[in-house]
Amino acid sequence: RWEVAETWVIGTDASTISVRELTADEHYFWAATESGVFRADKTNPNLQDYHNWILQEGLPFAQNQFNSIAVFNNKVFTCDNAGKTYSFDGIYWQSVYSEIPGIKKIRAFPSSLALICDNSVVVIGSNNHTTISNYGALIQTTSKITPMDALIDNSGNLWIGDHTFGLIRKSGDSAYLSVVPSSPSNNNSRWMTTTGAYLYIATGSDNADSVAVPAEVHRLKDQNWISINENTDSKLSGLKNITRVAPST
């Protein structure tokens, strides 16, 4: 069984602080928190005691908020809420990747390090340095991407979760694929009805005090959804609040 074995409250004087990420190397646990980066010896039998979590005062602005932390090539990498990144080689902390703006997350993989930034993903390998700032033909070249996280799978594909464009896969040949599950275009639902093999959902509101919802119907058949609205059928343009669906066939 997987159970909660211990709870570690690691803030100074046993204060409760927000731990943004936790990672580990061979010898230590590392915690990026709202009040700095803390380290604890993995062999210590009493990590519930905050005294065993050591604030990394070698970091510039050591008690700032740190958002992400990872171990790569025997070094610890962390970034703060200003988008600045630092590495620890076992002796000293030093600033790294100062030329890359807006770093908000760090992800480590066997052969590369991924930096998730405000409008790009930077993948750093042993012999290469790749910056992804758009998704090729999937979006307009003038559009800014907004990656939230990323990972590299066992086949070397880069997967990016983007706030605006959803799940994106970049394969080794630089081709981009948008992975979109079959689903309604939104989560509006007022009335459901079935006929034959179809499920229909009306999305509007019949509450006079509510905001009018553009006319739209979701339809499900054979595990596939389609949404019928003014973008797919111009006859619905300007209409509001479809509250019932009565299929004729």
Side-chain angles (χ1 to χ4, degrees):
R1 297 180 298 180
W2 289 93
E3 297 178 347
V4 176
E6 296 179 348
T7 298
W8 303 333
V9 181
I10 68 175
T12 303
D13 296 326
S15 60
T16 301
I17 58 175
S18 175
V19 177
R20 305 306 170 92
E21 281 189 356
L22 181 75
T23 192
D25 59 18
E26 185 178 356
H27 302 290
Y28 300 102
F29 290 113
W30 298 86
T33 82
E34 64 178 345
S35 303
V37 172
F38 291 79
R39 184 180 79 175
D41 192 324
K42 291 171 69 174
T43 62
N44 193 303
N46 187 21
L47 294 183
Q48 297 98 319
D49 184 347
Y50 74 92
H51 290 99
N52 294 320
W53 290 85
I54 308 304
L55 177 67
Q56 298 299 287
E57 295 182 346
L59 275 164
F61 311 104
Q63 297 187 38
N64 274 8
Q65 174 180 311
F66 285 80
N67 295 329
S68 190
I69 194 162
V71 175
F72 178 68
N73 277 354
N74 299 316
K75 291 184 178 181
V76 178
F77 293 83
T78 188
C79 63
D80 63 16
N81 61 343
K84 296 181 179 179
T85 302
Y86 306 91
S87 72
F88 181 68
D89 61 4
I91 301 175
Y92 301 109
W93 286 99
Q94 62 180 347
S95 175
V96 292
Y97 307 129
S98 58
E99 74 281 7
I100 302 174
I103 299 171
K104 56 189 180 183
K105 285 187 180 180
I106 304 171
R107 295 290 179 257
F109 305 99
S111 60
S112 57
L113 190 71
L115 308 177
I116 295 88
C117 310
D118 289 334
N119 300 119
S120 65
V121 174
V122 181
V123 180
I124 299 169
S126 56
N127 297 311
N128 60 353
H129 185 122
T130 303
T131 299
I132 295 96
S133 56
N134 63 71
Y135 303 136
L138 294 181
I139 66 172
Q140 297 179 0
T141 56
T142 55
S143 298
K144 290 185 177 181
I145 68 174
T146 51
M148 304 303 292
D149 214 333
L151 65 82
I152 298 174
D153 65 23
N154 293 334
S155 299
N157 298 311
L158 174 66
W159 295 83
I160 299 171
D162 190 287
H163 182 269
T164 303
F165 300 104
L167 184 60
I168 304 293
R169 187 191 73 183
K170 179 182 181 294
S171 61
D173 59 2
S174 298
Y176 290 93
L177 174 68
S178 175
V179 181
V180 181
S182 178
S183 66
S185 61
N186 56 57
N187 63 355
N188 295 334
S189 176
R190 178 64 184 86
W191 181 267
M192 293 191 294
T193 187
T194 60
T195 178
Y198 292 91
L199 168 68
Y200 291 91
I201 298 179
T203 64
S205 172
D206 52 12
N207 185 342
D209 296 327
S210 67
V211 176
V213 177
E216 186 168 35
V217 172
H218 307 313
R219 188 183 75 184
L220 173 67
K221 183 186 180 185
D222 297 331
Q223 306 300 317
N224 292 309
W225 286 96
I226 67 168
S227 294
I228 306 165
N229 51 44
E230 62 182 0
N231 296 320
T232 61
D233 190 334
S234 61
K235 293 189 289 295
L236 296 178
S237 179
L239 298 180
K240 307 291 183 182
N241 285 341
I242 293 180
T243 60
R244 298 290 188 278
V245 179
S248 59
T249 58

